[in-house]
Amino acid sequence: MKNFFYTLIAFLVLTNINAQIKKPVTWASKVEKVSDTEFNLVMNATIEEGWHVYSQFTPENGPLPIVLEFKNQKGNYELVGKAKESPYKKQFNADFEVDEYYFEKKFTLIQKVKITNPKVGKILLNVDFQVCKDGCINDNKDFSFAIPVIETVAVVAPAADTAKVAPATTVDTTKTEVKAATETVAKVAPKKEEKKGLWTIFFLAFLGGFAALLTPCVFPMIPMTVSFFTKQSKTPAQGKRNAIIYGISIIAIYVVLGLAVTGIFGADALNALSTNVWFNIIFFLLLVVFATSFLGAFEIMLPNSWANKVDRQADRGGIVGILFMALALAIVSFSCTGPIVGTLLVESASKGGIAPIIGMLGFSSALALPFMLFAMFPGWMHSLPKSGGWLNTVKVSLGFLELALAFKFLSNADLVLQLHYFERETFLAIWIAIFGAWSFYLFGKITLPHDSPITHISVGRLGLALTVLAFTIYMIPGLWGAPLKLISAFPPPETYSESPNGVGGSSNGTGEKLPEGAELGPHGIVVFTDYEEGMAYANKVKKPALLDFTGHACVNCRKMENNVWSEEEVLKILKNDVVVISLFADDKRPLPNEEQFVSKSTGAEIETIGDKWTDFMITKYNTNTQPLYVLVDNKGNNLNKVTPTTSYDPDVALYENWLKQGIVNFKK
């Protein structure tokens, strides 16, 4: 009876532990034959409702992407390209200030391999991934793919050798099955961009088209073109109809351009290009060229022969003639519209999907609308301002904006390569210089080659100058660590900086030197990243320790730090009343060989620092989810008796009371 009782207790304890260790992703795998030497390794993942896994293409400085590590590749097989995966969703993450690519419910990975050693027998693969909901779990899955036996012509062999063959294990998946499986992945409906994101692209492109209207190449053509339709048409109705056809033709030309960009690169490829180093460097150079052109150094023009040929076709009349008139407008105005169109295509291409098409639709709609409206209502022509030097001011202003935008692409390349040549302070210094120069230009203190003499500035120009100057002054504190929330998506993150903790970041903010082994964490909190060092210091200063099980790429950890730790009362406690020990479960740095071990709880090999802290969580607190907060005394005992730990919950009052209760228990 006693043995039964102990067995029951042990069963209940183990059941409780298993309930805490979460495994939201389940896997199934198979091998598919492509040819005698090539195979597809197929991994199908099913994700629990509400959880999501991040794609292998997730940008740097964001959540952790899927990583495939092949254990026995050398001399046995070669990888044919990068693993293919199901279409993913894309969403901007304000906490990491990057787009994140993720899967929900299910996804598939397919890695093609070419066998170079026919005796390899099996392929060993480890898939490392992060899965998040209210918390994040850094998990991995080991696969052992048996290489199918390839049927060959029978040969005479000794009976003993024949007996070694196990027919039951023979696999001969046909190419048809491989094709079907590949098509299954391809047929998964591509995830559309968030409607809000596409509307934003359309709106910004529409503004770009409106800006193009106000340039010296386009604006003077409005009255000329409208007059042509009204005078050459036999009736007013015919003039209006032709003007509408003209506007639709303009839209069609630019939308076809967007279709061409999407068709040439492919919607999925554009997503991947957004984090490609060469993509960012090339477009940085392109935008610098466009900006230099707008500032007046030179003009980007298409060959005159193109315009002449198209102009002759426009004389044909009818719908075809009107279409060629629209094409002539696009060619003749290219020196002004080309840089804007190029910039819009660069920006929308980096978003991927149908964004280039939407961008060109927005741009061309703004460009075509005035031609149609003024043809339908000729009386409105008298309300148009006269052409003059203000058109060049618009063009130059666009040049300053394009120059500023160009450095965002250079910053992206530097971030991906982690070169630290173009850190936050450098980026902000360049932007301050660009916008400062723009404000001086608007005030008339700087003149450029094509500017008219300035005797006074208009009220509108003065207003714009003051706005640009105010924005320039706003950015200056960012050089000393100010967050600059208005432009948080543009400069590198605060952690990618010469002074990640602000100027004077080597101290704890009071001028005192940091304790040995400590560093400044979020909001200037002194943190330890090693358990033993942190506990030793907590014992020395006679304070409780807050164990912060976190991750560099843990979304909800950042949310807790940004929204809860930042609150005055909580921040005061974290800085003065406890010793914070942040243990990063996704730290991929390897442990020294002598410190590596096999986990007693899970049987997994503990090879990295992150593995060590994850195993610590599982062994002592029966969970593997971050964030996890535990308040302990100097012997490592929990201080909160009723609720020994707390996890992700943005309730500031709840977190504050939890901290205060633990501190009260420590002092008893």
Side-chain angles (χ1 to χ4, degrees):
M1 187 68 181
K2 185 184 291 184
N3 290 338
F4 173 76
F5 177 75
Y6 286 139
T7 301
L8 180 61
I9 293 296
F11 173 77
L12 292 174
V13 169
L14 289 173
T15 301
N16 181 59
I17 290 175
N18 289 333
Q20 299 294 325
I21 307 302
K22 296 181 180 179
K23 290 285 185 182
V25 183
T26 56
W27 295 84
S29 63
K30 60 182 176 180
V31 178
E32 295 173 332
K33 180 180 176 183
V34 179
S35 68
D36 286 346
T37 59
E38 292 184 333
F39 299 89
N40 280 332
L41 312 180
V42 183
M43 294 150 278
N44 295 305
T46 302
I47 311 171
E48 287 184 14
E49 187 69 30
W51 292 81
H52 51 272
V53 174
Y54 296 100
S55 160
Q56 57 188 327
F57 301 112
T58 291
E60 294 281 341
N61 299 306
L64 287 183
I66 295 172
V67 176
L68 281 69
E69 182 183 0
F70 291 85
K71 301 288 189 179
N72 61 334
Q73 179 181 352
K74 188 175 181 180
N76 292 321
Y77 54 91
E78 299 173 352
L79 305 183
V80 182
K82 195 172 180 67
K84 295 180 180 180
E85 59 181 38
S86 307
Y88 48 73
K89 286 188 175 181
K90 182 177 178 182
Q91 182 174 330
F92 181 74
N93 187 316
D95 294 290
F96 288 110
E97 300 177 1
V98 297
D99 288 323
E100 57 183 23
Y101 308 158
Y102 61 94
F103 305 106
E104 292 179 329
K105 296 183 180 179
K106 61 182 180 179
F107 66 94
T108 298
L109 299 173
I110 299 179
Q111 176 65 65
K112 190 175 182 180
V113 297
K114 182 177 181 180
I115 304 300
T116 56
N117 176 14
K119 297 181 180 179
V120 62
K122 60 183 177 181
I123 292 176
L124 303 178
L125 167 63
N126 177 267
V127 178
D128 193 87
F129 59 95
Q130 186 177 69
V131 54
C132 293
K133 187 182 179 184
D134 292 334
C136 291
I137 297 171
N138 304 303
D139 206 349
N140 62 82
K141 173 68 175 177
D142 287 314
F143 293 94
S144 179
F145 294 96
I147 301 304
V149 175
I150 303 167
E151 293 183 359
T152 58
V153 178
V155 295
V156 179
D161 290 342
T162 306
K164 292 179 182 178
V165 180
T169 63
T170 299
V171 179
D172 189 15
T173 309
T174 65
K175 291 183 180 180
T176 303
E177 291 171 325
V178 175
K179 183 179 179 182
T182 306
E183 288 176 350
T184 300
V185 177
K187 286 180 181 178
V188 177
K191 304 295 182 183
K192 293 182 179 179
E193 283 286 300
E194 296 291 332
K195 289 184 178 179
K196 182 179 177 181
L198 290 178
W199 275 111
T200 300
I201 291 170
F202 180 86
F203 177 72
L204 292 176
F206 189 88
L207 290 180
F210 183 74
L213 275 173
L214 304 179
T215 58
C217 312
V218 180
F219 188 81
M221 297 184 70
I222 297 176
M224 293 170 55
T225 306
V226 171
S227 297
F228 172 82
F229 283 126
T230 54
K231 291 179 181 178
Q232 296 298 320
S233 302
K234 295 180 180 179
T235 63
Q238 185 184 22
K240 293 177 181 179
R241 187 197 66 188
N242 290 342
I244 291 172
I245 295 172
Y246 180 71
I248 293 173
S249 299
I250 292 173
I251 294 173
I253 288 168
Y254 284 101
V255 169
V256 167
L257 179 60
L259 283 167
V261 170
T262 304
I264 292 170
F265 290 102
D268 293 334
L270 289 171
N271 275 326
L273 279 175
S274 63
T275 56
N276 181 275
V277 172
W278 290 110
F279 174 93
N280 283 280
I281 291 175
I282 289 170
F283 282 129
F284 161 72
L285 296 174
L286 276 176
L287 292 188
V288 169
V289 171
F290 293 157
T292 307
S293 171
F294 268 164
L295 293 174
F298 53 85
E299 287 192 355
I300 302 173
M301 299 183 67
L302 294 176
N304 287 330
S305 59
W306 292 17
N308 294 333
K309 289 179 181 179
V310 171
D311 215 23
R312 285 195 293 270
Q313 294 295 325
D315 294 335
R316 295 169 57 180
I319 294 178
V320 174
I322 294 173
L323 177 61
F324 277 100
M325 280 185 64
L327 186 56
L329 171 70
I331 293 173
V332 171
S333 64
F334 185 80
S335 61
C336 290
T337 60
I340 300 175
V341 170
T343 304
L344 289 172
L345 285 174
V346 168
E347 273 294 290
S348 57
S350 69
K351 302 300 180 186
I354 61 171
I357 302 170
I358 298 297
M360 289 300 93
L361 178 62
F363 175 83
S364 57
S365 297
L367 200 63
L369 196 58
F371 290 96
M372 292 189 289
L373 288 178
F374 285 116
M376 295 175 70
F377 306 98
W380 291 2
M381 294 285 291
H382 302 293
S383 62
L384 279 177
K386 294 181 179 180
S387 299
W390 66 272
L391 290 173
N392 192 65
T393 302
V394 172
K395 187 177 177 182
V396 170
S397 295
L398 290 173
F400 280 112
L401 283 173
E402 290 210 346
L403 189 59
L405 182 61
F407 284 95
K408 171 59 179 172
F409 289 93
L410 185 60
S411 170
N412 288 345
D414 186 71
L415 273 169
V416 171
L417 294 174
Q418 289 289 295
L419 295 177
H420 289 270
Y421 292 150
F422 204 73
E423 294 176 318
R424 185 178 177 86
E425 291 89 347
T426 307
F427 181 95
L428 290 175
I430 292 173
W431 266 38
I432 289 168
I434 292 172
F435 282 92
W438 184 14
S439 67
F440 277 103
Y441 171 79
L442 292 171
F443 280 120
K445 301 302 180 183
I446 299 174
T447 56
L448 290 170
H450 301 295
D451 285 325
S452 303
I454 299 175
T455 57
H456 67 280
I457 59 174
S458 65
V459 174
R461 180 166 175 165
L462 176 63
L464 180 59
L466 291 172
T467 302
V468 175
L469 180 60
F471 179 68
T472 305
I473 296 172
Y474 166 78
M475 289 190 289
I476 292 174
L479 297 172
W480 287 273
L484 304 182
K485 293 182 180 180
L486 287 179
I487 57 170
S488 60
F490 288 94
E494 294 177 60
T495 54
Y496 196 75
S497 166
E498 293 179 13
S499 304
N501 303 301
V503 176
S506 61
S507 71
N508 61 9
T510 63
E512 299 177 8
K513 190 176 181 180
L514 292 174
E516 186 177 352
E519 59 186 58
L520 279 185
H523 314 297
I525 300 168
V526 176
V527 302
F528 290 83
T529 56
D530 181 83
Y531 176 77
E532 299 295 338
E533 289 181 347
M535 289 300 294
Y537 183 75
N539 188 53
K540 178 182 176 181
V541 297
K542 307 300 181 186
K543 290 181 180 179
L546 174 66
L547 305 186
D548 164 33
F549 291 95
T550 183
H552 294 293
C554 171
V555 176
N556 289 324
C557 302
R558 297 295 85 77
K559 288 181 178 178
M560 287 292 289
E561 292 163 3
N562 293 338
N563 301 319
V564 178
W565 283 21
S566 61
E567 290 298 312
E568 183 178 357
E569 290 302 316
V570 173
L571 187 58
K572 183 179 177 181
I573 295 172
L574 296 177
K575 284 188 172 182
N576 303 317
D577 301 330
V578 300
V579 174
V580 179
I581 305 175
S582 294
L583 305 176
F584 290 86
D586 59 359
D587 192 330
K588 299 302 181 184
R589 290 176 296 168
L591 288 167
N593 290 334
E594 63 274 13
E595 295 183 22
Q596 296 182 12
F597 61 96
V598 175
S599 171
K600 294 180 180 178
S601 302
T602 63
E605 295 182 1
I606 307 303
E607 299 176 341
T608 68
I609 294 174
D611 292 342
K612 178 181 177 180
W613 302 135
T614 300
D615 185 66
F616 183 27
M617 290 177 67
I618 294 173
T619 302
K620 191 157 186 177
Y621 301 110
N622 303 328
T623 185
N624 59 344
T625 306
Q626 304 95 49
L628 176 73
Y629 306 101
V630 187
L631 206 56
V632 299
D633 62 20
N634 297 150
K635 295 181 180 179
N637 299 315
N638 290 353
L639 288 170
N640 298 79
K641 303 301 181 183
V642 178
T643 308
T645 62
T646 187
S647 56
Y648 174 72
D649 191 329
D651 188 328
V652 176
L654 184 67
Y655 194 83
E656 181 186 343
N657 291 334
W658 177 80
L659 285 172
K660 287 180 176 178
Q661 185 59 52
I663 293 169
V664 169
N665 293 337
F666 176 80
K667 294 178 179 179
K668 286 182 181 178

PDB file of all heavy atoms in Angstrom, residues 284 287-288 402-412 422 427 430-431 434:
ATOM      1  N   PHE A 284      21.003  52.023 -51.980  1.00  0.00           N
ATOM      2  CA  PHE A 284      21.601  53.214 -51.365  1.00  0.00           C
ATOM      3  C   PHE A 284      22.266  54.072 -52.440  1.00  0.00           C
ATOM      4  O   PHE A 284      22.052  55.289 -52.511  1.00  0.00           O
ATOM      5  CB  PHE A 284      22.626  52.798 -50.307  1.00  0.00           C
ATOM      6  CG  PHE A 284      23.600  53.889 -49.952  1.00  0.00           C
ATOM      7  CD1 PHE A 284      23.194  54.983 -49.211  1.00  0.00           C
ATOM      8  CD2 PHE A 284      24.923  53.817 -50.377  1.00  0.00           C
ATOM      9  CE1 PHE A 284      24.096  56.007 -48.895  1.00  0.00           C
ATOM     10  CE2 PHE A 284      25.824  54.818 -50.065  1.00  0.00           C
ATOM     11  CZ  PHE A 284      25.412  55.927 -49.323  1.00  0.00           C
ATOM     12  N   LEU A 287      19.630  55.744 -54.784  1.00  0.00           N
ATOM     13  CA  LEU A 287      18.942  56.888 -54.194  1.00  0.00           C
ATOM     14  C   LEU A 287      19.867  58.096 -54.072  1.00  0.00           C
ATOM     15  O   LEU A 287      19.416  59.237 -54.178  1.00  0.00           O
ATOM     16  CB  LEU A 287      18.370  56.511 -52.821  1.00  0.00           C
ATOM     17  CG  LEU A 287      17.226  55.489 -52.841  1.00  0.00           C
ATOM     18  CD1 LEU A 287      16.618  55.341 -51.461  1.00  0.00           C
ATOM     19  CD2 LEU A 287      16.149  55.872 -53.827  1.00  0.00           C
ATOM     20  N   VAL A 288      21.152  57.848 -53.829  1.00  0.00           N
ATOM     21  CA  VAL A 288      22.104  58.962 -53.800  1.00  0.00           C
ATOM     22  C   VAL A 288      22.178  59.624 -55.179  1.00  0.00           C
ATOM     23  O   VAL A 288      22.209  60.854 -55.300  1.00  0.00           O
ATOM     24  CB  VAL A 288      23.498  58.479 -53.340  1.00  0.00           C
ATOM     25  CG1 VAL A 288      24.547  59.572 -53.575  1.00  0.00           C
ATOM     26  CG2 VAL A 288      23.472  58.099 -51.866  1.00  0.00           C
ATOM     27  N   GLU A 402      15.177  62.265 -50.378  1.00  0.00           N
ATOM     28  CA  GLU A 402      15.723  61.035 -50.961  1.00  0.00           C
ATOM     29  C   GLU A 402      17.116  60.742 -50.408  1.00  0.00           C
ATOM     30  O   GLU A 402      17.464  59.587 -50.165  1.00  0.00           O
ATOM     31  CB  GLU A 402      15.773  61.142 -52.478  1.00  0.00           C
ATOM     32  CG  GLU A 402      14.409  61.121 -53.129  1.00  0.00           C
ATOM     33  CD  GLU A 402      14.443  60.526 -54.520  1.00  0.00           C
ATOM     34  OE1 GLU A 402      15.533  60.370 -55.073  1.00  0.00           O
ATOM     35  OE2 GLU A 402      13.364  60.202 -55.037  1.00  0.00           O
ATOM     36  N   LEU A 403      17.911  61.779 -50.196  1.00  0.00           N
ATOM     37  CA  LEU A 403      19.256  61.583 -49.641  1.00  0.00           C
ATOM     38  C   LEU A 403      19.169  61.018 -48.230  1.00  0.00           C
ATOM     39  O   LEU A 403      19.933  60.116 -47.861  1.00  0.00           O
ATOM     40  CB  LEU A 403      20.001  62.921 -49.636  1.00  0.00           C
ATOM     41  CG  LEU A 403      21.491  62.870 -49.285  1.00  0.00           C
ATOM     42  CD1 LEU A 403      22.249  61.975 -50.259  1.00  0.00           C
ATOM     43  CD2 LEU A 403      22.081  64.265 -49.263  1.00  0.00           C
ATOM     44  N   ALA A 404      18.229  61.521 -47.430  1.00  0.00           N
ATOM     45  CA  ALA A 404      18.050  61.003 -46.070  1.00  0.00           C
ATOM     46  C   ALA A 404      17.596  59.546 -46.107  1.00  0.00           C
ATOM     47  O   ALA A 404      18.104  58.703 -45.354  1.00  0.00           O
ATOM     48  CB  ALA A 404      17.038  61.860 -45.309  1.00  0.00           C
ATOM     49  N   LEU A 405      16.648  59.244 -46.995  1.00  0.00           N
ATOM     50  CA  LEU A 405      16.139  57.875 -47.093  1.00  0.00           C
ATOM     51  C   LEU A 405      17.229  56.903 -47.538  1.00  0.00           C
ATOM     52  O   LEU A 405      17.256  55.742 -47.118  1.00  0.00           O
ATOM     53  CB  LEU A 405      14.960  57.832 -48.058  1.00  0.00           C
ATOM     54  CG  LEU A 405      14.273  56.481 -48.257  1.00  0.00           C
ATOM     55  CD1 LEU A 405      13.698  55.977 -46.937  1.00  0.00           C
ATOM     56  CD2 LEU A 405      13.178  56.576 -49.306  1.00  0.00           C
ATOM     57  N   ALA A 406      18.150  57.363 -48.388  1.00  0.00           N
ATOM     58  CA  ALA A 406      19.207  56.480 -48.897  1.00  0.00           C
ATOM     59  C   ALA A 406      20.010  55.863 -47.767  1.00  0.00           C
ATOM     60  O   ALA A 406      20.389  54.684 -47.822  1.00  0.00           O
ATOM     61  CB  ALA A 406      20.135  57.275 -49.833  1.00  0.00           C
ATOM     62  N   PHE A 407      20.263  56.639 -46.713  1.00  0.00           N
ATOM     63  CA  PHE A 407      21.109  56.145 -45.629  1.00  0.00           C
ATOM     64  C   PHE A 407      20.407  55.081 -44.780  1.00  0.00           C
ATOM     65  O   PHE A 407      21.064  54.348 -44.039  1.00  0.00           O
ATOM     66  CB  PHE A 407      21.592  57.308 -44.763  1.00  0.00           C
ATOM     67  CG  PHE A 407      22.684  58.094 -45.421  1.00  0.00           C
ATOM     68  CD1 PHE A 407      22.396  59.240 -46.147  1.00  0.00           C
ATOM     69  CD2 PHE A 407      23.995  57.661 -45.359  1.00  0.00           C
ATOM     70  CE1 PHE A 407      23.398  59.953 -46.786  1.00  0.00           C
ATOM     71  CE2 PHE A 407      25.008  58.367 -45.992  1.00  0.00           C
ATOM     72  CZ  PHE A 407      24.714  59.517 -46.713  1.00  0.00           C
ATOM     73  N   LYS A 408      19.093  54.965 -44.902  1.00  0.00           N
ATOM     74  CA  LYS A 408      18.395  53.860 -44.236  1.00  0.00           C
ATOM     75  C   LYS A 408      18.830  52.535 -44.835  1.00  0.00           C
ATOM     76  O   LYS A 408      19.039  51.550 -44.117  1.00  0.00           O
ATOM     77  CB  LYS A 408      16.872  54.048 -44.382  1.00  0.00           C
ATOM     78  CG  LYS A 408      16.044  52.859 -43.912  1.00  0.00           C
ATOM     79  CD  LYS A 408      16.284  52.539 -42.448  1.00  0.00           C
ATOM     80  CE  LYS A 408      15.421  51.367 -41.988  1.00  0.00           C
ATOM     81  NZ  LYS A 408      15.777  50.910 -40.625  1.00  0.00           N
ATOM     82  N   PHE A 409      19.013  52.478 -46.159  1.00  0.00           N
ATOM     83  CA  PHE A 409      19.439  51.237 -46.814  1.00  0.00           C
ATOM     84  C   PHE A 409      20.884  50.896 -46.465  1.00  0.00           C
ATOM     85  O   PHE A 409      21.220  49.732 -46.248  1.00  0.00           O
ATOM     86  CB  PHE A 409      19.257  51.358 -48.331  1.00  0.00           C
ATOM     87  CG  PHE A 409      17.822  51.342 -48.759  1.00  0.00           C
ATOM     88  CD1 PHE A 409      17.115  52.522 -48.919  1.00  0.00           C
ATOM     89  CD2 PHE A 409      17.162  50.146 -48.973  1.00  0.00           C
ATOM     90  CE1 PHE A 409      15.786  52.512 -49.295  1.00  0.00           C
ATOM     91  CE2 PHE A 409      15.823  50.120 -49.354  1.00  0.00           C
ATOM     92  CZ  PHE A 409      15.141  51.308 -49.516  1.00  0.00           C
ATOM     93  N   LEU A 410      21.741  51.911 -46.384  1.00  0.00           N
ATOM     94  CA  LEU A 410      23.123  51.657 -45.975  1.00  0.00           C
ATOM     95  C   LEU A 410      23.164  51.152 -44.537  1.00  0.00           C
ATOM     96  O   LEU A 410      23.947  50.250 -44.198  1.00  0.00           O
ATOM     97  CB  LEU A 410      23.949  52.940 -46.111  1.00  0.00           C
ATOM     98  CG  LEU A 410      25.448  52.804 -45.825  1.00  0.00           C
ATOM     99  CD1 LEU A 410      26.099  51.813 -46.777  1.00  0.00           C
ATOM    100  CD2 LEU A 410      26.128  54.165 -45.913  1.00  0.00           C
ATOM    101  N   SER A 411      22.306  51.704 -43.703  1.00  0.00           N
ATOM    102  CA  SER A 411      22.217  51.255 -42.310  1.00  0.00           C
ATOM    103  C   SER A 411      21.771  49.800 -42.230  1.00  0.00           C
ATOM    104  O   SER A 411      22.288  49.017 -41.422  1.00  0.00           O
ATOM    105  CB  SER A 411      21.234  52.157 -41.545  1.00  0.00           C
ATOM    106  OG  SER A 411      20.945  51.627 -40.274  1.00  0.00           O
ATOM    107  N   ASN A 412      20.794  49.412 -43.084  1.00  0.00           N
ATOM    108  CA  ASN A 412      20.331  48.017 -43.095  1.00  0.00           C
ATOM    109  C   ASN A 412      21.470  47.061 -43.415  1.00  0.00           C
ATOM    110  O   ASN A 412      21.618  46.011 -42.786  1.00  0.00           O
ATOM    111  CB  ASN A 412      19.219  47.840 -44.134  1.00  0.00           C
ATOM    112  CG  ASN A 412      17.915  48.473 -43.712  1.00  0.00           C
ATOM    113  OD1 ASN A 412      17.739  48.799 -42.541  1.00  0.00           O
ATOM    114  ND2 ASN A 412      17.016  48.688 -44.648  1.00  0.00           N
ATOM    115  N   PHE A 422      28.327  51.930 -39.075  1.00  0.00           N
ATOM    116  CA  PHE A 422      27.243  52.881 -39.286  1.00  0.00           C
ATOM    117  C   PHE A 422      26.253  52.759 -38.135  1.00  0.00           C
ATOM    118  O   PHE A 422      25.104  52.391 -38.313  1.00  0.00           O
ATOM    119  CB  PHE A 422      26.573  52.586 -40.635  1.00  0.00           C
ATOM    120  CG  PHE A 422      25.872  53.767 -41.233  1.00  0.00           C
ATOM    121  CD1 PHE A 422      26.592  54.809 -41.777  1.00  0.00           C
ATOM    122  CD2 PHE A 422      24.493  53.845 -41.255  1.00  0.00           C
ATOM    123  CE1 PHE A 422      25.948  55.903 -42.330  1.00  0.00           C
ATOM    124  CE2 PHE A 422      23.841  54.926 -41.803  1.00  0.00           C
ATOM    125  CZ  PHE A 422      24.578  55.964 -42.345  1.00  0.00           C
ATOM    126  N   PHE A 427      24.371  57.526 -37.945  1.00  0.00           N
ATOM    127  CA  PHE A 427      23.143  57.711 -38.726  1.00  0.00           C
ATOM    128  C   PHE A 427      22.469  59.032 -38.359  1.00  0.00           C
ATOM    129  O   PHE A 427      22.098  59.829 -39.232  1.00  0.00           O
ATOM    130  CB  PHE A 427      22.196  56.537 -38.471  1.00  0.00           C
ATOM    131  CG  PHE A 427      20.909  56.601 -39.250  1.00  0.00           C
ATOM    132  CD1 PHE A 427      20.778  55.936 -40.455  1.00  0.00           C
ATOM    133  CD2 PHE A 427      19.820  57.324 -38.775  1.00  0.00           C
ATOM    134  CE1 PHE A 427      19.600  55.998 -41.181  1.00  0.00           C
ATOM    135  CE2 PHE A 427      18.632  57.395 -39.481  1.00  0.00           C
ATOM    136  CZ  PHE A 427      18.528  56.730 -40.690  1.00  0.00           C
ATOM    137  N   ILE A 430      24.289  62.161 -39.593  1.00  0.00           N
ATOM    138  CA  ILE A 430      24.065  62.408 -41.022  1.00  0.00           C
ATOM    139  C   ILE A 430      22.682  63.003 -41.257  1.00  0.00           C
ATOM    140  O   ILE A 430      22.513  63.959 -42.022  1.00  0.00           O
ATOM    141  CB  ILE A 430      24.255  61.106 -41.819  1.00  0.00           C
ATOM    142  CG1 ILE A 430      25.737  60.695 -41.790  1.00  0.00           C
ATOM    143  CG2 ILE A 430      23.780  61.263 -43.261  1.00  0.00           C
ATOM    144  CD1 ILE A 430      26.009  59.338 -42.391  1.00  0.00           C
ATOM    145  N   TRP A 431      21.665  62.451 -40.597  1.00  0.00           N
ATOM    146  CA  TRP A 431      20.311  62.990 -40.759  1.00  0.00           C
ATOM    147  C   TRP A 431      20.210  64.425 -40.242  1.00  0.00           C
ATOM    148  O   TRP A 431      19.538  65.261 -40.839  1.00  0.00           O
ATOM    149  CB  TRP A 431      19.300  62.079 -40.054  1.00  0.00           C
ATOM    150  CG  TRP A 431      18.703  61.066 -40.975  1.00  0.00           C
ATOM    151  CD1 TRP A 431      19.349  60.396 -41.965  1.00  0.00           C
ATOM    152  CD2 TRP A 431      17.346  60.632 -40.999  1.00  0.00           C
ATOM    153  NE1 TRP A 431      18.472  59.539 -42.604  1.00  0.00           N
ATOM    154  CE2 TRP A 431      17.240  59.660 -42.031  1.00  0.00           C
ATOM    155  CE3 TRP A 431      16.222  60.930 -40.252  1.00  0.00           C
ATOM    156  CZ2 TRP A 431      16.050  59.019 -42.327  1.00  0.00           C
ATOM    157  CZ3 TRP A 431      15.024  60.283 -40.540  1.00  0.00           C
ATOM    158  CH2 TRP A 431      14.947  59.347 -41.576  1.00  0.00           C
ATOM    159  N   ILE A 434      21.695  66.575 -42.920  1.00  0.00           N
ATOM    160  CA  ILE A 434      20.842  66.686 -44.114  1.00  0.00           C
ATOM    161  C   ILE A 434      19.643  67.592 -43.856  1.00  0.00           C
ATOM    162  O   ILE A 434      19.365  68.530 -44.623  1.00  0.00           O
ATOM    163  CB  ILE A 434      20.381  65.293 -44.579  1.00  0.00           C
ATOM    164  CG1 ILE A 434      21.566  64.479 -45.120  1.00  0.00           C
ATOM    165  CG2 ILE A 434      19.288  65.412 -45.642  1.00  0.00           C
ATOM    166  CD1 ILE A 434      21.235  63.036 -45.424  1.00  0.00           C
TER     167      ILE A 434
END
